[in-house]
Amino acid sequence: MHDGRFDQRELLMEVTERASRFLLALPDRRVAADPAAVAALEAWSASLKLPDAGIAPRDVVAELDARLSAATVASAGPRFFGFVHGGSLPAALAANWLAGAWDQNAFSTASSPAGVLIEALAGAWLLDVLGLPSDAAVAFTTGATLANFTALAAARRRVLADAGWDVEADGLFGAPPITLLVSAESHPSVRKGLGLLGLGRRRVVELEVDRQGRIRADRLPDLDGAAIVCAQAGNVNSGACDPFEALHDWCAERRAWLHVDGAFGLWAQASPTLQSLTAGVALADSWATDGHKWLNVPYDCGIAVVRDAEALHGAMSFGAPYLPTEARREPFHYGPEASRRARGIEVYAALRSLGRRGLAEMIETGCRHARRFAEGLGKAGHTVLNEVVLNQVVVSFGAAEIDRAVIKAIQTAGECWCGPTNWQGRDAMRISVSGWATTDDDVERSLASILQCASTVLRDNAGSR
Ligand SMILES: *Cc1c(COP(=O)(O)O)cnc(C)c1O
């Protein structure tokens, strides 16, 4: 018999070696996944049958490293500007490993006092840095999609309870109708959440937006009866934020619930110089945001915040004879899941390592980098389509097929990674600067590569006419 504990130590040291090697190489490797490695992985995974006999843990890890590392996208590195990703702060990644060893089930105090307490602390710190009411309820979810769903479940409960209907007990058949007012520029996850809640993706009334994608407070419709209004902090293309003060006043007069999807834009609240963008956002009834985007914690981590803790509790709580019944805020009474990892641990670690100032700097630096991209692209004669108010840049190099070709050339060159989007009916390229690791030099290298790719595509296109 071998000593199992000794084996595990060896194994974890080896994983540390492999992971460190991966992370050290990250700033210099091509950003897109290596196509040959992806093809090899595809062939291997398609042919591998589950064997009757297993293999040693260290062989499992060695095989994963050999087969997958080169097939990863370097989104944890400094020059990935696709979607709205972030990387993993060193403290957050290390905390994630330790938490993996602990393997705590954060659903309740009985199963994990440590997990529940650290999440309560992380939740209180989040409310503090995001400037949200200190007595709001916080739920850690897998992402902003589920955070939107969670907050909207609380909204559904409250507006129907006010109309004399218990939706958790009686469902939606025969319930009073709820009017859903959703920004025409809302993220699709908001409608998905409404669909999952039985409120209907297509039943929404779209609120008119301006050219930056902000709800027009001067064009709100007539309204009466139960209503939920969905606004956003951080348009997924432009980064623009809705006029929260005006929306709040309008909702308060009509007793409508105001929800804000702030997956990344809510983090403007963490910076004294950016807070004016999200002015009044704290007046809303509920918020959704992500930890795995701009806070740079590992996947998966989203956060739902609800001012009316009772509404969230009513929507989410459940009981069983073996479950704790104490009055304390047990996580399983406030979120969509029961058993889950304590994802608040990495949130705590990120905030603890950054501090208030480090967090503000990380957010402000992303915005500064975005402005530099916009400036460089504009100077070279390309069209920046949005006002760059946050970390997002939408740019076009010409007709749709030109943009597509430039994006492909950028991804193939591998110096950085940007993806396509459609902004108010026009195909374009999107740059999102959300990773903690991006330096000024990374921005210059990436800009040079983007401009080079664009000029090659434009020259070839002119030549082929
Ligand atoms: C990313 C994003 C979401 C969805 O978040 P996930 O973490 O991917 O579930 C929702 N809304 C906005 C504005 C986003 O940027």
Side-chain angles (χ1 to χ4, degrees):
M1 279 293 287
H2 54 236
D3 181 340
R5 272 172 302 177
F6 180 76
D7 271 355
Q8 192 148 16
R9 182 167 194 283
E10 289 274 284
L11 177 66
L12 293 177
M13 298 302 277
E14 193 177 314
V15 168
T16 306
E17 253 327 297
R18 290 182 184 279
S20 306
R21 216 180 301 142
F22 174 84
L23 290 173
L24 276 173
L26 209 46
D28 302 311
R29 58 163 269 197
R30 65 182 278 146
V31 179
D34 174 3
V38 174
L41 176 60
E42 197 173 2
W44 174 75
S45 62
S47 65
L48 189 66
K49 301 276 181 290
L50 177 65
D52 287 333
I55 60 174
R58 65 186 302 258
D59 296 336
V60 174
V61 171
E63 190 174 56
L64 281 173
D65 193 15
R67 297 281 180 186
L68 272 69
S69 285
T72 57
V73 175
S75 49
R79 291 186 306 283
F80 183 86
F81 307 110
F83 310 99
V84 185
H85 274 192
S88 286
L89 286 161
L93 174 61
N96 173 273
W97 285 19
L98 191 56
W102 293 337
D103 191 29
Q104 295 290 283
N105 186 344
F107 94 99
S108 75
T109 306
S111 58
S112 179
V116 171
L117 288 170
I118 201 73
E119 286 200 337
L121 181 59
W125 284 6
L126 281 171
L127 296 177
D128 179 353
V129 295
L130 297 175
L132 302 180
S134 59
D135 56 349
V138 177
F140 289 97
T141 64
T142 48
T145 299
L146 257 286
N148 277 323
F149 164 83
T150 301
L152 291 168
R156 181 183 71 161
R157 167 161 183 91
R158 172 55 56 217
V159 300
L160 285 178
D162 288 350
W165 189 267
D166 181 348
V167 67
E168 275 68 37
D170 299 320
L172 282 170
F173 299 103
I178 303 177
T179 304
L180 307 166
L181 299 162
V182 173
S183 163
E185 272 286 337
S186 71
H187 189 274
S189 64
V190 170
R191 283 179 201 228
K192 175 173 175 172
L194 294 169
L196 288 171
L197 289 162
L199 298 173
R201 295 189 190 196
R202 208 163 52 199
R203 274 188 66 253
V204 304
V205 177
E206 282 195 353
L207 297 174
E208 208 178 315
V209 295
D210 67 15
R211 290 180 52 78
Q212 296 304 316
R214 292 173 296 229
I215 292 173
R216 286 191 56 172
D218 59 335
R219 300 289 278 267
L220 297 168
D222 291 337
L223 175 67
D224 80 324
I228 299 171
V229 177
C230 298
Q232 70 187 347
N235 179 288
V236 79
N237 283 306
S238 70
C241 299
D242 287 329
F244 302 113
E245 267 157 15
L247 286 170
H248 164 262
D249 293 349
W250 188 82
C251 288
E253 258 167 48
R254 292 158 183 82
R255 304 199 64 210
W257 180 291
L258 178 59
H259 170 70
V260 177
D261 174 4
F264 64 96
L266 198 55
W267 292 91
Q269 287 277 95
S271 155
T273 60
L274 293 167
Q275 272 167 0
S276 58
L277 266 183
T278 40
V281 74
L283 298 166
D285 296 294
S286 60
W287 304 263
T289 192
D290 263 320
H292 57 218
K293 286 180 179 166
W294 224 349
L295 183 59
N296 280 265
V297 301
Y299 297 102
D300 41 28
C301 181
I303 300 125
V305 180
V306 178
R307 178 188 298 278
D308 179 348
E310 262 322 298
L312 184 59
H313 181 274
M316 295 294 165
S317 76
F318 67 96
Y322 51 84
L323 288 174
T325 53
E326 301 94 279
R328 62 185 312 145
R329 275 196 192 178
E330 294 289 356
F332 75 95
H333 287 315
Y334 291 89
E337 299 159 327
S339 298
R340 62 173 178 83
R341 70 190 195 89
R343 35 178 88 84
I345 289 173
E346 296 99 332
V347 169
Y348 161 81
L351 293 174
R352 184 84 170 104
S353 74
L354 290 169
R356 202 183 292 279
R357 203 163 44 216
L359 174 65
E361 274 170 23
M362 182 171 75
I363 302 301
E364 288 160 11
T365 301
C367 297
R368 183 167 56 77
H369 288 334
R371 288 196 300 274
R372 170 66 190 129
F373 272 119
E375 180 203 30
L377 290 161
K379 267 202 187 127
H382 305 303
T383 313
V384 174
L385 298 173
N386 65 320
E387 280 171 24
V388 180
V389 292
L390 211 58
N391 58 333
Q392 306 288 112
V393 181
V394 185
V395 60
S396 176
F397 304 94
E401 60 275 15
I402 300 280
D403 282 334
R404 273 197 296 276
V406 173
I407 292 164
K408 187 160 178 240
I410 291 166
Q411 294 180 1
T412 307
E415 183 76 358
C416 66
W417 202 100
C418 306
T421 192
N422 185 287
W423 173 235
Q424 299 198 331
R426 180 165 174 184
D427 284 325
M429 185 179 92
R430 178 171 62 158
I431 300 171
S432 173
V433 193
S434 316
W436 68 278
T438 305
T439 64
D440 291 7
D441 180 53
D442 288 311
V443 174
E444 297 309 321
R445 278 174 67 175
S446 303
L447 189 55
S449 173
I450 293 169
L451 295 178
Q452 171 70 52
C453 291
S455 77
T456 305
V457 167
L458 288 166
R459 196 190 51 224
D460 290 356
N461 191 262
S464 69
R465 289 247 182 86

